[in-house]
Amino acid sequence: MPQELRAVDWTGNSLALIDQTVLPHRAETVEIRDVDALVDAIQRLVVRGAPAIGAAGAYGVALALLQGEREGWDTGRVRAEVARIREARPTAVNLMVCVDRVMTRFDEGIEAVLAEAAAVQREDVEANRAMGAYGADWLLKRVGADRPLRLLTHCNTGALATAGWGTALGVIRELHARGQVEVVYADETRPLLQGSRLTAWELVQEGIPHYVQADGAAAGTILRGEVDAAIVGADRIAANGDTANKVGTVGVALACADAGIPFLVAAPTTTVDLSTASGADIHIELRGEDEVLEWAAVRTAPKESRGHNPAFDVTPGRLVTGLVTERGVLTVSAGELPGDHLR
Ligand SMILES: CSC[C@H]1O[C@H](OP(=O)(O)O)[C@H](O)[C@@H]1O
């Protein structure tokens, strides 16, 4: 993704969001000036990806303050509107963490809120760059650097999903910069196709060789020995290392375990939620059934059929070979816990 583009940016009095629902065919930015529009943008995945949603939520506090000034809201109303942003999507913990962090500056006023939101955005990019280096070093040491790597990824974890550079795709970018990527298999990621629309778009921008594949092809590609490692993002990491990520991820992890290749999760520590004990306690967002019953507003399933549409699944920590954060790599499957990075 061209570096001058940012998935989330503050204009001075509004949020500029790349509209991820129209990529890759149209590159458009939408201006968000009120809470309703931001909640809608988060829920329709105009802005998406745990860290990007976190950055948007952080600036959303400023948006609520400015709207409150325009519309004469009292403090209680502003706080209530911020809570709507905080709860706009339930699984990605970054949204709650980043809103809560900025709210610690709420009583100091708009400038302090904006300064904290800018720090959230800046620190996410810094974390992603650090993750890229840690993850690339770990993979080259584990798999070997004698030849470029064949990698598999699921959903979109690039600059579009973050404040910049990317998490799992940031590791892939770093490996590519070192000349260590032979090919990337990008799962299309039904039903909203974050892989074939967004990850493929970013890989094209970067000139990284890749195939888009059906989600159902991932396990066979792995078990046929065509992949050296899989690397994915995360939306919430529980205290025991269980990881919620885009639906379809756990199948990739199971195939990696059976094939004996590394399954890496790359996420900033803002995605770790020590208050959630295990994956069983993670709220999995159930999205509208039409997303799986239709495509491009055309019904694909019989009218009598119902749709089951969990947006995420949970990969047990025992299947996570390594958790890459901005502080290094934890071998979760060997018993190292996310909290070890937070102490
Ligand atoms: C670094 S992005 C983390 C995570 O967010 C994506 O979900 P969504 O596209 O629904 O926002 C996907 O699960 C990514 O792995």
Side-chain angles (χ1 to χ4, degrees), residues 252-277:
V252 171
L254 287 166
C256 287
D258 193 80
I261 65 169
F263 175 80
L264 289 186
V265 172
T269 49
T270 48
T271 308
V272 175
D273 175 12
L274 296 182
S275 68
T276 295

Side-chain angles (χ1 to χ4, degrees), residues 93 97 99 101 110 133 146 149 180 218 243-244 269 299 314 316 332:
V93 71
V97 166
V99 168
R101 170 176 168 180
I110 184 69
D146 55 328
L149 303 181
Q180 294 282 7
T243 297
T269 49
R299 182 84 179 195
V314 174
V332 179

